[in-house]
Amino acid sequence: MPEINFCPYCEAAQHKLLHCKEDIFFCKACSRFFRFSDISITCERCKGNLVKSDFDMPSGGTVFFCQKCKKTFPAKEIMGSV
């Protein structure tokens, strides 16, 4: 499980978060439960892993590319499918 550094609701620091079970956390600062889990997004063509490109689009948008087939995807396309 990836590390969570702050509460998504009140932005309290990591030491204020209590890991309850699996992907459920409790924030001692704002007294809210929340779920935090990994999602896996793969290339629609070859099912390879997507990673962030070092180069952005000319308009400033973020680009992801498949490590296997090298196809590129704009971030808007990926975030729209999540």
Side-chain angles (χ1 to χ4, degrees), residues 17-54:
L17 302 178
L18 178 65
H19 185 212
C20 297
K21 68 176 192 177
E22 295 178 18
D23 63 344
I24 298 175
F25 290 84
F26 177 75
C27 177
K28 297 175 193 174
C30 66
S31 299
R32 293 181 81 168
F33 286 95
F34 62 93
R35 207 175 277 276
F36 180 78
S37 61
D38 263 344
I39 58 170
S40 178
I41 301 175
T42 58
C43 176
E44 52 195 41
R45 184 188 330 177
C46 71
K47 304 302 179 204
N49 291 330
L50 296 181
V51 294
K52 184 183 177 301
S53 173
D54 292 336

Side-chain angles (χ1 to χ4, degrees), residues 57-75:
M57 296 175 68
S59 63
T62 303
V63 176
F64 292 90
F65 72 94
C66 175
Q67 288 182 317
K68 192 173 178 183
C69 71
K70 307 299 184 206
K71 180 175 172 19
T72 59
F73 299 91

